[in-house]
Amino acid sequence: MKSRSIILKGSIKPQFDKRAGRKEIETARTKSQNIKDMRKTRGDLTRGSPLRHLLRLSGPIILSYMLQEAFNIVDMIFVGRLGAGAIAAVGVSGNLIRLIGVFSLGISTGAGIMVAQYLGARNLAQAEHIAMQSILLAVFFSVGVTLVGYPLAEQGLLAVRMVDPEVLRLGTTYMHIILAGISTMFVSMTLGSVFRAGGDTITPMVVLIFATLINIVLDPLLIFGLWGFPKLGVAGSAYATLIGRGASVIILFYLCWSGRAPVSFRSVRYQVDLVEMLDILRLGVYSSMQGFWRHISRLGFLWVIGPYGKMVVAAYTICMRLRILVMNPGFGIANAVVPLVGQNLGANQIERAERSTRVANLLGAAIMTVIGGVFFLFPQTFIRIFTSESNVIEIGIVYLQFLSPTFGFIAFSLILGRALNGAGDTFSPMVITLAAQVVVGLGLVILLSHFIGLNGVWSGIALSNVVQGIAMWLWYSTGRWKAIKLVKKKPKAA
């Protein structure tokens, strides 16, 4: 490049050839602006204390999960007033819906990994482009899920041997309503992942608080027909859920459009980019499969439990709700690890990414082990929140005492698995989940139930958690995830 210097007030400034220098100046300005934008949003996780970043990120995520689970508990309390059949219907339908929802998990995971790594590499334009493609993917997949899943709802319940007429009728109604609006689940999960990838966990939390309040207020109104609202029973719970999720989608999308998010949708193209969509799916498909195998095992457990009757199914459903409540700290810390690992690997700071994971793993395992101890000592206290039926309580106490000692292993599985995801390794956690939950867990449940009945079911589930936690730790310890590189492309113009 040709240039010459002139002296002006004691300083030396280069004068560039116009054609050669204009592009370089523009590139430098764009790069500088990207760095400023990252710092402005407090989304730069490549500097400062990893523990401080972890606490700042995980706190709002944990609170978000706790609020969401608080709603689920309130929802189950209201539904529980309708009887054991309603509890079983919502519980089984919820498992089927979560199985379908693994597609949204894959899209949100793939988007979060790529957005975090491009932000870490200071490529804001490409991060915004990836975010928009992930939203389009979420919409396309949710429409497909509705078209395929709606007519097969009843068959799904029959597949897990839910033959009780009341459970079948209520469960089918619940699934039809949720499937009709499942796009709200897909898009809200993807937008939340994009915010977290940029280091902003507070905004999704605040939006979730608002959506949850809407949900909780509408629940009794629509279930029991209070204050002139229609009395819809189980269907009212489904409608309240959709309205709350829809509100969160509208708010999060508006924030992205208005420039109040880690990425902005103002200048991105809304055209389909199949190459980037395939990259998102390539990363996310294994996360989807990980969730798929996990939920297949849950449905397999229900398949084994179903013939024992709706009391056992109700007890299992209540304990699984309590399990998810306990897992919230692990989920929060695990989701905070993804942007930490992603951004630091994008910035080529491998040791910092590893240190962040180590701190998160110790913190999560300690918290969940303590909570598990409380559940082991006082199981009846928590089960009575949901039901007063003595048979359900007795069955639930036994299951919870089998399950609670494994919570520390669940933390290992969650946090190390998400750390591997943040590095771009979504295949290995999927394989480990398949082996632990389906081969070991479901296999043991089927085998042991023939010899020792229900206690065999509870033992098999507990052992699968232990196996998965140990296997995830052993694979992470090999360090193969450190060699994965995702950020290879040049900055993409908006």
Side-chain angles (χ1 to χ4, degrees), residues 290 293-301 316 320 323 327 399 402-414 429 431-446 448 455-473:
Q290 184 179 353
W293 294 128
R294 186 168 55 247
H295 291 302
I296 279 291
S297 70
R298 301 290 180 268
L299 292 174
F301 300 156
Y316 171 81
M320 291 306 292
R323 175 182 181 271
M327 289 171 63
Y399 176 34
F402 272 94
L403 187 66
S404 54
T406 70
F407 288 157
F409 293 95
I410 293 174
F412 269 58
S413 176
L414 288 173
V431 173
I432 293 170
T433 300
L434 169 61
Q437 294 295 319
V438 179
V439 178
V440 176
L442 185 54
L444 284 175
V445 164
I446 294 172
L448 294 177
N455 283 348
V457 175
W458 311 146
S459 299
I461 294 173
L463 287 172
S464 69
N465 295 333
V466 175
V467 169
Q468 186 170 353
I470 293 174
M472 204 73 76
W473 178 78

Side-chain angles (χ1 to χ4, degrees), residues 100-111:
I100 295 169
V102 300
F103 293 110
S104 64
L105 173 65
I107 294 168
S108 63
T109 298

Side-chain angles (χ1 to χ4, degrees), residues 62-78:
I62 292 172
L63 183 55
S64 297
Y65 278 117
M66 295 295 287
L67 288 168
Q68 184 61 46
E69 195 53 36
F71 158 71
N72 289 333
I73 290 173
V74 171
D75 182 59
M76 187 59 72
I77 290 171
F78 286 136

Side-chain angles (χ1 to χ4, degrees), residues 63-64 67-68 71 202-219 240-252 254-255:
L63 183 55
S64 297
L67 288 168
Q68 184 61 46
F71 158 71
I202 294 177
T203 300
M205 178 196 70
V206 173
V207 173
L208 181 61
I209 291 173
F210 178 72
T212 301
L213 288 174
I214 292 176
N215 214 331
I216 290 175
V217 169
L218 288 177
D219 234 359
T241 298
L242 289 187
I243 294 170
R245 282 181 185 160
S248 69
V249 169
I250 292 171
I251 295 170
L252 290 174
Y254 169 76
L255 292 173

